Amino acid sequence: MKISYNWLKQFIQLDWDSRKTGDLLTALGLEVEGISTFESIKGGLKGVVVGEVLTCSKHPNADKLKLTTVDIGTGEPVQIVCGAPNVAAGQKVPVATIGTTLNTPEGESWTIKKGKIRGEVSNGMICAEDELGLGDSHEGIMVLSEDFKPGTPCSEIFEIEEDEIFEIGLTPNRADAMSHFGVARDLKAGLLQQEIHTGLNTPSVSNFNITNRSLKIDVDVVDSSLAPRYCGVTISNLIVQQSPDWLKNRLRAIGLNPINNVVDATNYVLHELGQPLHAFDADRIYGNKIVVRPAEPGSTFMTLDGELRKLDEEDLMICDAEKPMCIAGVFGGINTGVTEDTRAIFLESAYFNPVSIRKTAKRHGLNTDASFRFERGIDINNVEYALRRAALLICEISGGDITSDIVDLYPKKMEDQQVFLTFEKINTLIGQEIPKDNIKAILASLDIQVKSVTETGLGLLIPFYRVDVQREVDVIEEILRVYGYDNVHIPEKLTASIAPSSKFEDYKLENAIGQLLASNGFYEILSNSLTNPDYAEHLEKEEIAGQTAILNPLSKELSVMRQSMLFSGLEAISHNLNRRKTNLRLFEFGVTYHKKEKGYKEVKHLSLLLSGSRSAQDWTSPEKEMGFYYLKAATDLVLDRFGIKDFAGKAGSTTILNEALDYYLGDTHLVSLGVVKPDILKAFDIKQEVLHADFQWENLTRIAAKQNIVYRPIPKYPDVKRDFALLLDDGIPFEKIKQLAFNTERKLLKKVDLFDVYKGDNLPEGKKSYAVSFTLQDEKKTLTDKQIDKIMNKLRTGYEKELGAELR
């Protein structure tokens, strides 16, 4: 937000330099991100002086150029080549001397240099008004009054306003400071804390008088909850033209382009007082009636930018007796705006429901100065005052007359918020005691009324415009920012206590698993919990019904809470693929949200996503895709870090995964992993395979907390490996082979691995061959051949009996 220092000084008398004022504003919570300089004429006409044309003759080498000698007050006349048709001897003209920088309206600049034009030396430039930024004409040079003395700087002749502009990073909660008056109000409170007493000047509206009542326009507000207060007045006999220079300079200083005197006046009051206003061409209001009502579903409306917008039934519209004229609080219509032909207006000032305005603005992708303020909350008590202020200003600069009574529809008065503030709470939160008289003075400087005083605290009445001050802690924050954070003393002694902390604290487990995954080439992502409701189409039916919708969404794409970690992860993969990052290992800790019959449920997850090759392309090794077993290895790695080993796998398929595998420990679900279905990838424009593992984080942490960690010395005695080549039915999984092995030999069998699978020629139909290795070890002695053979025979017998296996 841009704030003009000159404009600010109209409200508060202050002779500080801008840096000092900026420091105070920042200390008050209005962070000044930068201070820039504004000049009503860019460059300030530096180097441009009054010159007197002494002689003017035809250029010897050009038909359209003239050779002049000009007295610029240096004692020696200079020769200047000029192409203007109206240059003549005896004129007083503006001359840009050597070294002067001129600026074009398009923002370009060039420096005047000594040079030759068609063989003749030119020591400067006689300027037209558009070349100096003093007007739009380029028909000829600018001729000045004969009273000016040669050499006089043109900056002394023309009124050039210089200003300093504060760029304030306004936080969303500070709706009260969205104007020059609001910033001045805060500045006054800060100055009072430094014992600098200064008044706060407000524009007078005492001259507001109704000339006649010749143009009455009725107003009907259909739903007062959407427009709690609506004011309006008519102004007739206007002359719509350019605004005076002082008004144009004020607007340009804060980055606004002047349009015409009526529109500029409404914009001026908006940035002066923080109250948006809108002017309708009264001759285009059908039936001399304003109706404030919700839009008809599916209807269309063309806004000032020429775009035809489809309206929603929740959009609040300003209509006449026949048609919509404006999207309330957001954007005006193309057919009822003020033009050069406008002779009478209906001037609107209102307070609209902030939530309604925000939804409408986001729905249509609009962010205007008006919607910016309405959706954060303006001062409902300022609505009529701002209307009077704007009406007087319009009459002053356009010659209009006020031709109706003010219509003020305010059926239910908004009450100020009441808060009880305890002195003990102030001291506890701030950390030191602030004198009670100082507290009361700060509250008074913030327009917070003290309604009652007790030994324990104060009963307060918060002004309506402080929409962010609703609780006791909010008031304490206000006291502290005005009192000054720098004035809170750091104690010489700090007292702290050490609380016992479990090694199974959630954040510790997150760090441990995060470090494990990062060391294995994974990158952590953090995605938005808000997501697109259309993603639920890929989930189970009960999940679609259980969506948690946002009451005030930023957009449709962010209107529900996510029910799966997959889709936000796919957005990240798509984003990276579009930037040619094709080999991806991603993980994320996050929460999903579900609506149940008896309320809402949040579930924490760890999500893994893999896509692309295992390693970057290299001539020494062939490219190998990350497949299902690579994902399974990463999943097993996480479970092993938790100390979870005796889990069981269950194959299947879900609405989002092919080749799905679920791990369970007893009846507790640990993780689901598999290949993301192609139709889901297509929705994200992903053309390569993506693998996904979804851990039930809360189940993992609960199991980890129950694990007994046992430390054992590294065995002294060697292990022994033996292999079997087993001929099995095609439907028998390796998991059964592994389980049967450990059931057969619990003591000495340490590990079972599958190192080869063969299907094909020389095998009976429906059969496959597994090459399985067994690792045996006795931690107390070296195994003998007799012991080993006995164990292997037991395993062979078990496989033949239980699985119908044959040893090849």
Side-chain angles (χ1 to χ4, degrees), residues 12 33 111 200 227 254 289 336 415 512 525 603 642 656 669 684 731 787 792:
I12 192 166
E33 298 175 339
T111 302
L200 191 62
I254 58 173
K289 185 174 184 180
T336 55
E415 300 295 334
I525 62 173
V603 182
F642 275 103
I656 60 176
H669 185 212
F684 290 85
Q787 287 177 297
M792 298 307 295

Side-chain angles (χ1 to χ4, degrees), residues 748-767:
L748 299 179
L749 182 62
K750 302 300 181 183
K751 193 175 181 183
V752 180
D753 289 316
L754 176 68
F755 63 89
D756 189 38
V757 178
Y758 176 73
K759 295 180 183 180
D761 297 339
N762 303 322
L763 291 182
E765 187 177 348
K767 296 288 185 177

Side-chain angles (χ1 to χ4, degrees), residues 522-800:
F522 282 78
Y523 287 89
E524 185 173 8
I525 62 173
L526 182 63
S527 56
N528 201 333
S529 297
L530 302 177
T531 191
N532 193 323
D534 295 341
Y535 293 160
E537 295 175 3
H538 303 290
L539 301 175
E540 304 287 350
K541 290 183 179 179
E542 57 268 23
E543 290 292 340
I544 298 175
Q547 283 189 334
T548 304
I550 303 299
L551 293 176
N552 189 17
L554 294 171
S555 65
K556 183 195 172 186
E557 289 72 25
L558 298 172
S559 61
V560 298
M561 306 297 287
R562 67 182 172 196
Q563 296 166 283
S564 169
M565 299 290 294
L566 174 63
F567 304 116
S568 54
L570 291 178
E571 289 176 348
I573 286 182
S574 178
H575 179 86
N576 280 276
L577 291 178
N578 290 336
R579 287 152 183 81
R580 299 186 178 181
K581 301 294 182 183
T582 55
N583 302 326
L584 300 168
R585 298 177 183 87
L586 307 177
F587 74 95
E588 179 179 14
F589 297 99
V591 177
T592 58
Y593 305 84
H594 311 269
K595 185 167 69 174
K596 304 295 183 181
E597 290 183 4
K598 296 183 179 180
Y600 296 89
K601 184 179 180 182
E602 296 182 12
V603 182
K604 189 168 183 179
H605 300 258
L606 165 62
S607 172
L608 304 185
L609 287 159
L610 301 173
S611 187
S613 301
R614 299 187 182 188
S615 59
Q617 190 173 3
D618 187 86
W619 68 274
T620 61
S621 58
E623 198 171 16
K624 192 172 182 180
E625 297 293 317
M626 287 185 280
F628 176 83
Y629 289 102
Y630 191 85
L631 174 67
K632 183 177 181 296
T635 304
D636 292 346
L637 187 69
V638 172
L639 294 176
D640 185 66
R641 185 68 180 83
F642 275 103
I644 302 172
K645 299 181 183 298
D646 300 326
F647 51 84
K650 181 180 178 183
S653 180
T654 70
T655 57
I656 60 176
L657 299 176
N658 287 327
E659 303 176 27
L661 181 64
D662 289 287
Y663 283 172
Y664 290 87
L665 185 64
D667 295 329
T668 304
H669 185 212
L670 302 178
V671 59
S672 298
L673 61 149
V675 181
V676 180
K677 290 190 172 181
D679 62 316
I680 297 177
L681 297 181
K682 185 177 180 181
F684 290 85
D685 196 28
I686 297 173
K687 296 179 176 63
Q688 64 186 48
E689 186 179 67
V690 176
L691 302 112
H692 174 55
D694 183 17
F695 292 87
Q696 301 296 314
W697 182 258
E698 291 165 352
N699 291 344
L700 297 181
T701 56
R702 189 166 55 251
I703 292 169
K706 296 178 181 178
Q707 295 282 7
N708 292 320
I709 299 175
V710 178
Y711 295 91
R712 289 181 293 187
I714 297 173
K716 297 179 182 179
Y717 302 96
D719 58 25
V720 177
K721 288 189 177 180
R722 293 289 186 270
D723 299 337
F724 275 165
L726 299 172
L727 185 65
L728 301 155
D729 289 340
D730 199 27
I732 297 175
F734 171 70
E735 190 66 28
K736 281 192 175 183
I737 295 173
K738 184 177 179 181
Q739 288 178 357
L740 183 57
F742 281 110
N743 289 338
T744 303
E745 177 55 50
R746 299 177 183 274
K747 183 178 179 183
L748 299 179
L749 182 62
K750 302 300 181 183
K751 193 175 181 183
V752 180
D753 289 316
L754 176 68
F755 63 89
D756 189 38
V757 178
Y758 176 73
K759 295 180 183 180
D761 297 339
N762 303 322
L763 291 182
E765 187 177 348
K767 296 288 185 177
K768 64 183 176 183
S769 175
Y770 272 1
V772 184
S773 71
F774 303 89
T775 302
L776 305 172
Q777 187 179 43
D778 190 333
E779 297 179 2
K780 296 181 180 180
K781 61 182 180 180
T782 303
L783 287 171
T784 63
D785 289 341
K786 186 177 180 179
Q787 287 177 297
I788 295 169
D789 291 342
K790 182 178 179 181
I791 293 169
M792 298 307 295
N793 285 331
K794 283 170 60 180
L795 290 172
R796 176 179 180 177
T797 302
Y799 288 141
E800 291 175 344

Side-chain angles (χ1 to χ4, degrees), residues 27 42 86 105 158 207 215 264 276 440 480 552:
K42 193 172 182 181
N86 65 326
F158 300 100
N207 292 331
L215 181 57
D264 292 349
K440 293 176 184 177
L480 182 55
N552 189 17

